[in-house]
Structure formats: structure tokens, C-alpha cells
Amino acid sequence: MFVDRAEIVVRSGNGGNGIVSFRREKYVPAGGPDGGNGGKGGDVIFVVDTGLRTLMDFNYTKLFKAENGADGQSRKSSGKNGGDCIIRVPMGTVIIDKDSGNIIADLSDKDAKFIAAKGGNGGKGNTEYKSSIRRTPTFAQAGFKGRERELILEIKSIADVGLLGFPNVGKSTILSSMSKAKPKVANYHFTTLKPNLGLVEVIKGKSFVMADIPGLIEGASDGVGLGHDFLRHVERTRLLLHVVDVSASEGRNPIDDFTIIMNELKEYNINVYNKPMVVIANKTDIIFDEAIREEFKQFIEEKGLKLFEVSAVSGKGLKEAMKYVTTMLDDIPVEEIFEVVDIEEDNYDNNPFAINIEQDGDVFVLSGEGVERLMYSTNFEDYDSLRNFETVLKRRGIFDKLKEMGIEQGGTVRIFDIEFEFYD
Ligand SMILES: Nc1nc2c(ncn2[C@@H]2O[C@H](COP(=O)(O)OP(=O)(O)OP(=O)(O)O)[C@@H](O)[C@H]2O)c(=O)[nH]1
Ligand SMILES: [Mg+2]
């Protein structure tokens, strides 16, 4: 089954904690602080891998984690940074933030790279808190948290190979016989109104995505028979399989069919016209005029195009055609077959200093990552550390906010399950 959409969860690494440590040397009774900083958490980074075609692998792995940074060490050694998590995706992958529904990245370039989740910074060790008035800081800073987010991946490229031709020539039959796709097949025109995608693998390990494009008719380049909509699908393929009913079962001559379609391609867009093309002469099982078939064969070969004579219902000749196509694709770059999409701003409120205040009766409750880390960083038995705790809250305007909200001297502030009395 061809998968062009996947949902995954990514998680960047937490920053390591800074630590409290003091030099311990022989004959030096009270050494200075030497606690090192925590290492940075790893990022989650998307990169393009031009060898990939589908998002199939994301069916098996759903969670992608970067490493956490290590805690600091004594002797002012910083903790090791966490390793990044590199996610390889096919070119043309669009990344959508599941929460907001915004498109946040468009990896349509072979060198495209996108950091979807930044790792948290490491916390500072107690060495960093040393100052002229605080010679032996007994507190350190907790590491900053990484970030977890749900993402949707989508590929906009519709296929490597597009089956095109007049209606009813057997395009959907070819797709269903060469892949697990089950497009509707019926003996009338415009059975297919939207492309169906199938994964074709006739050479092991070398699969490609094939689409049956709705039938084109004369005037398609002017919009006749939804021509424009259909032709747009062809634009985003690397190779065209031009299918012709060589049995002339509907009374048209295959050379005319071929010529009309080529004219429409040229009118529509010269780049489409110039795409690599392989010709499939289909319905060879019901040929009643060998001359028509022979004439068509000559006509195509004179153009220097490769022709395969097949029967899609019996499957005869199809495998060889697909093998040829597989090899041909090796030499056709996945260039710019993608539409440019509008990228929304990746606005994520990732303020690691954020502190929320809520009122619970008379009690003022502080929460948020900022306060969580501050708590973790504080040594409540230590006067200096407590002073630092207070200073940080003041500096971030929390005291002012509390007063605005009407806290009295001696009022209660709660952080997690610890309650403090408020004095300004
Ligand atoms: N005898 C014979 N009939 C075929 C062959 N290939 C397809 N058909 C028949 O031709 C009819 C049309 O086949 P489809 O595969 O639906 O054709 P299509 O090109 O996808 O048609 P649209 O989607 O309408 O453009 C069906 O009745 C098929 O069974 C073939 O090799 N031999
Ligand atoms: Mg069809």
C-alpha cells in the first residue's frame, strides 16, 4: 500500500542539570565551587533523503527521540550534549503541526533541513553563580526541558510515474495489475476522476510510485473534460507512461491518439511535453488489424521512443515494461516537481521561563515550566539559594503581578505542594 501521510511524535532532549560541587583537594579544607553546567539536549531534525520515495517506514516507527543532555560534573566539567535525532524523509515532504494544523515546513529542496524540536539548554552549575558577595553558592540550575510535539507528514509529489492517455485505454487496469492499488476499472470513459496511486516493485528493493491519471482528450489543454486538473497531476511526475489502445477498439487510430495527446501536453506546458516517456501499446489481445499495430510500432520507434506491446488484462508484457521503467528512473532526478506551499509561522509558546499565576480561593498558585525549574534549582535549606529564588521571581515580575492580583503581606503562595508566605 502506498502511504503518503504519516503521524509521528517527536521529542527533543532535556538539558542536563547544572550541579553543586566544591573543590576537594588534599590540604585545601574548603575549596571553591566547581560544579559544571549541564549538557544541551539533542534536537529533532528533519533532512531530505533523495533515495526515499514514500513515508511507508513511518508506519512502523512512531516516536522519534533525541538524547537528553548529561548533568554537569565536578571540576567544572560540563555534561555531554545529547545526540540529535535525525529523521530522513523523502523530498517533497510537508510537515504539519497537529495541534495548530499549520504547515510548518516544506522540504522540497534536496538540501532542506528543519529543526522541529529544539533540545533544552543545560542548567548552570554552581560555579556560574559565584560572585564577589556569594563565594560558595550551594545551588545550581536545573536543565531546560525538551519539547514533545505531534506532527503530520505528507508528500505532495503524487508519483514517480504517471499513466496517461485517452479514456478507456486501460490505464487503471495496468495500475491494478502491477500494484496493490484497486482503482475502478470499467468500460466507459472517465472512470477515473482522481489519480490512484500504487507502489510498483518489479525489481526487489527498487520500488516506485505510479499513478493512473484521468483520461485526456482533445482540448484538455484548454480545459476540456477537466483537462487542466488532470494535466496538473502529470506535472508532478518524473516519467510518463503513454498508454495507447493499439487494437483501435473504439475506432480511433492509435497514431492519431498519440499525436493528439502530445499536442495537448505541448500546449499545456513544454516541460511536461519534454518529460521522459515510455509508450505502452495496450490491448494486444484483441487486435483485429495487424497493420495498425505495425504502423504504430514504426511510428513510435522512429521518434526514438521505447515501446512495449502489452495486454493489461492478461498481464502480458507488463513486467518487462515496468522493469525498464525502474531502471530508467535511476537516471531521472527528483527535481522540482513540487508545488511551493505557504509556510505558517511555527508559533509555539516555548518560553521556558513562563510562570502562570492562578487564584485558588485565598491562595495564589504558581505553575509553568519556569517555576518548575526554579523549584528544582533551589536548595531550600540554604539562605543564598532562597535569596536567589526570590530575586528571580522578582526579576520576572511575579511579585508585581501578585500584588496587582491583590495579594496581602503574609498571604499564601503555593508552588506544587509547598506553601510560602508572601512578604515584599
Ligand atoms: N481486451 C482488453 N481489454 C482491456 C485491456 N486493458 C483494459 N481493458 C479494458 O478496457 C476498459 C477500460 O479500462 P480502464 O483500465 O478502466 O481504462 P482507463 O484508461 O483507466 O479509463 P479511464 O479511467 O476512463 O480514463 C475496461 O473494460 C478494461 O477491462 C486489455 O489489455 N485488453
Ligand atoms: Mg481509469
Side-chain angles (χ1 to χ4, degrees), residues 171-173 184 191-192 212-213:
K171 302 178 295 293
S172 300
T173 310
K184 189 172 168 198
T191 313
T192 305
D212 65 338
I213 314 276

Side-chain angles (χ1 to χ4, degrees), residues 135-149:
R135 291 181 182 282
T136 54
T138 52
F139 56 94
Q141 190 183 31
F144 291 70
K145 283 230 171 73
R147 168 181 188 190
E148 179 171 301
R149 61 194 307 202

Side-chain angles (χ1 to χ4, degrees), residues 76-366:
K76 298 186 189 170
S77 297
S78 295
K80 203 167 155 249
N81 291 340
D84 295 333
C85 169
I86 310 278
I87 305 177
R88 293 175 192 285
V89 291
M91 192 148 105
T93 301
V94 165
I95 303 174
I96 298 153
D97 179 71
K98 198 176 170 190
D99 277 348
S100 67
N102 288 346
I103 294 177
I104 53 171
D106 174 7
L107 305 179
S108 286
D109 189 278
K110 73 173 167 46
D111 301 316
K113 188 175 155 180
F114 174 66
I115 301 181
K118 272 206 156 74
N121 284 326
K124 293 177 193 164
N126 69 335
T127 314
E128 304 257 342
Y129 289 99
K130 188 179 161 184
S131 68
S132 52
I133 51 159
R134 191 198 286 135
R135 291 181 182 282
T136 54
T138 52
F139 56 94
Q141 190 183 31
F144 291 70
K145 283 230 171 73
R147 168 181 188 190
E148 179 171 301
R149 61 194 307 202
E150 291 178 76
L151 301 175
I152 298 168
L153 310 181
E154 273 179 12
I155 306 189
K156 295 171 299 157
S157 76
I158 69 147
D160 296 296
V161 173
L163 287 160
L164 89 167
F166 263 80
N168 224 31
V169 294
K171 302 178 295 293
S172 300
T173 310
I174 294 176
L175 179 70
S176 64
S177 127
M178 288 285 87
S179 73
K180 288 183 182 146
K182 291 279 162 277
K184 189 172 168 198
V185 169
N187 193 13
Y188 55 83
H189 289 199
F190 300 113
T191 313
T192 305
L193 287 171
K194 266 194 204 135
N196 300 290
L197 298 168
L199 194 70
V200 180
E201 186 170 344
V202 282
I203 300 178
K204 210 167 165 19
K206 278 196 175 186
S207 56
F208 63 84
V209 176
M210 185 159 79
D212 65 338
I213 314 276
L216 298 173
I217 51 176
E218 188 157 16
S221 59
D222 284 333
V224 177
L226 292 179
H228 277 175
D229 287 346
F230 296 176
L231 279 163
R232 203 175 309 122
H233 299 307
V234 186
E235 251 180 297
R236 294 190 271 143
T237 59
R238 289 196 288 152
L239 183 147
L240 301 177
L241 266 180
H242 193 154
V243 185
V244 177
D245 173 2
V246 80
S247 75
S249 66
E250 297 192 19
R252 297 183 316 265
N253 183 284
I255 296 184
D256 292 344
D257 273 16
F258 183 86
T259 312
I260 290 169
I261 297 285
M262 291 312 280
N263 280 339
E264 294 302 333
L265 294 186
K266 198 189 221 161
E267 286 293 312
Y268 177 71
N269 181 338
I270 194 74
N271 295 328
V272 171
Y273 176 80
N274 286 328
K275 272 185 201 287
M277 180 179 281
V278 171
V279 183
I280 303 279
N282 191 29
K283 306 201 186 181
T284 54
D285 54 299
I286 51 167
I287 293 221
F288 62 92
D289 190 341
E290 279 294 338
I292 295 179
R293 169 193 186 152
E294 202 44 48
E295 218 184 357
F296 183 68
K297 189 174 177 209
Q298 259 180 29
F299 171 78
I300 294 299
E301 283 172 355
E302 271 166 26
K303 288 188 174 302
L305 288 170
K306 184 78 182 168
L307 175 83
F308 287 90
E309 298 186 309
V310 310
S311 164
V313 279
S314 76
K316 188 172 157 253
L318 272 185
K319 216 167 177 186
E320 290 90 283
M322 295 302 149
K323 277 190 181 157
Y324 184 82
V325 165
T326 308
T327 333
M328 226 173 133
L329 282 173
D330 277 346
D331 298 324
I332 309 172
V334 189
E335 356 92 291
E336 282 131 33
I337 53 173
F338 307 108
E339 281 170 22
V340 177
V341 299
D342 289 332
I343 309 276
E344 315 272 343
E345 206 180 321
D346 185 11
N347 46 8
Y348 166 69
D349 183 20
N350 187 24
N351 179 3
F353 301 105
I355 297 178
N356 316 314
I357 311 177
E358 274 167 341
Q359 239 172 307
D360 177 10
D362 293 344
V363 181
F364 292 79
V365 184
L366 303 192

Side-chain angles (χ1 to χ4, degrees), residues 13-33:
N14 296 329
N17 298 318
I19 63 150
V20 176
S21 166
F22 295 94
R23 262 197 325 268
R24 264 178 246 276
E25 286 166 36
K26 267 187 188 167
Y27 316 119
V28 185

